[in-house]
Amino acid sequence: MKKLAIGVLVIAIGLPGLLPAQDRSLETIDPVRSYDGTIVYKKATLPAKVFEFRYPAKDLANAIGDYFQQRGGKLRKSKGLVSVSSISLHDSDNQAYDVHYQVKGTGKGANALSTLAVILAEPGEDIMLRQQTGETAAGGPVLPAIFASVGAEGFFRDLGVAVGNYDHSKMIFASENDLQKAQRRYDKLVSKGKSLERKLQNLERQIADNLEQQRQQAREIDLAKLRLDRVKSRQR
């Protein structure tokens, strides 16, 4: 057993990149696809970065919203678009951004497919003034340079971590809730058991009293029989 433990330790030290990669795969829910797309907002088609997830849309929206709120952002919703003003996207960058995003999806559980479309802007920038018709040679939308900033790249790269952290917290909450429910059921059973014990003790006392009363009654019967026999003997 000692030799096995040493061998495992050597592997862990000799391959420093192995364990973090495994941890990340366990803790993250990465997008299955990302591409340059668009968001239709107030009849305008705006360039956006789009990410597809095999994850329920409601949970994805909550995960992204929680991420921004944990970084001090306040969410505002308007016509299907969620906006966060002057937010630091990622710890790798001190720049502030205005973020506008939209989450859509279908299906539940393993069949869920959701999209997160993100628009990044300078603080206070009116995204409706952006050129809407710019296209690349391949026919795709042209994303502004801000999408290639350090903070944007860090945020996009670690989206799976944010979603994974939310999912992990959700599982912890569900497990804690199950534990609390189980504890409440157990406490009720304990309370009912104590009540039954009290009833049993009371019943045992009643049974003991009844047996004593039976014995006393049996003595009275015997005395009554003796008196009856005496009376009958006098008649003869």
Side-chain angles (χ1 to χ4, degrees):
M1 291 300 292
K2 288 183 179 179
K3 291 182 179 179
L4 177 60
I6 292 172
V8 172
L9 180 60
V10 169
I11 293 174
I13 295 174
L15 301 174
L18 179 60
L19 293 180
Q22 289 177 335
D23 290 343
R24 190 177 191 281
S25 67
L26 291 173
E27 296 174 0
T28 65
I29 299 177
D30 293 310
V32 294
R33 188 164 78 102
S34 66
Y35 56 92
D36 297 345
T38 59
I39 289 179
V40 177
Y41 177 63
K42 294 182 178 180
K43 298 182 180 180
T45 301
L46 303 173
K49 193 72 175 178
V50 182
F51 301 86
E52 290 184 359
F53 288 84
R54 290 288 182 184
Y55 197 61
K58 182 179 179 181
D59 290 324
L60 179 58
N62 289 338
I64 301 304
D66 283 357
Y67 176 83
F68 288 130
Q69 288 176 324
Q70 289 171 7
R71 299 186 71 83
K74 294 183 179 180
L75 309 183
R76 303 188 315 279
K77 298 181 181 180
S78 174
K79 299 184 183 300
L81 200 67
V82 182
S83 299
V84 188
S85 298
S86 297
I87 187 76
S88 169
L89 276 180
H90 194 264
D91 291 341
S92 62
D93 184 15
N94 293 326
Q95 181 178 345
Y97 301 79
D98 283 356
V99 182
H100 311 274
Y101 67 93
Q102 187 180 74
V103 177
K104 293 183 178 181
T106 59
K108 297 180 179 180
N111 297 321
L113 179 61
S114 305
T115 59
L116 166 68
V118 181
I119 295 175
L120 299 180
E122 299 289 346
E125 178 184 349
D126 186 353
I127 59 174
M128 301 301 293
L129 298 179
R130 285 183 173 178
Q131 184 178 0
Q132 301 173 33
T133 58
E135 294 185 348
T136 64
V142 177
L143 299 183
I146 194 171
F147 281 81
S149 66
V150 174
E153 290 183 349
F155 171 64
F156 295 149
R157 182 183 62 250
D158 288 343
L159 270 175
V161 176
V163 179
N165 287 343
Y166 167 83
D167 193 70
H168 185 242
S169 297
K170 182 182 175 185
M171 288 190 294
I172 290 175
F173 177 81
S175 298
E176 288 177 343
N177 192 43
D178 290 342
L179 175 59
Q180 291 172 359
K181 288 180 179 178
Q183 184 65 50
R184 286 195 293 269
R185 289 194 293 267
Y186 173 77
D187 292 342
K188 287 182 179 179
L189 289 171
V190 170
S191 178
K192 184 176 181 180
K194 291 179 179 179
S195 176
L196 290 173
E197 286 179 358
R198 290 192 295 270
K199 290 180 180 179
L200 177 60
Q201 292 172 356
N202 184 49
L203 183 60
E204 288 174 342
R205 286 193 295 269
Q206 291 181 21
I207 291 173
D209 292 342
N210 180 270
L211 290 174
E212 180 58 28
Q213 291 172 3
Q214 288 181 41
R215 286 190 291 269
Q216 292 177 1
Q217 196 63 36
R219 287 195 292 270
E220 289 186 13
I221 290 172
D222 291 340
L223 291 174
K225 286 181 179 179
L226 288 174
R227 288 194 294 270
L228 177 60
D229 289 344
R230 287 172 185 171
V231 171
K232 286 182 177 179
S233 63
R234 290 176 185 171
Q235 291 178 347
R236 290 196 294 269

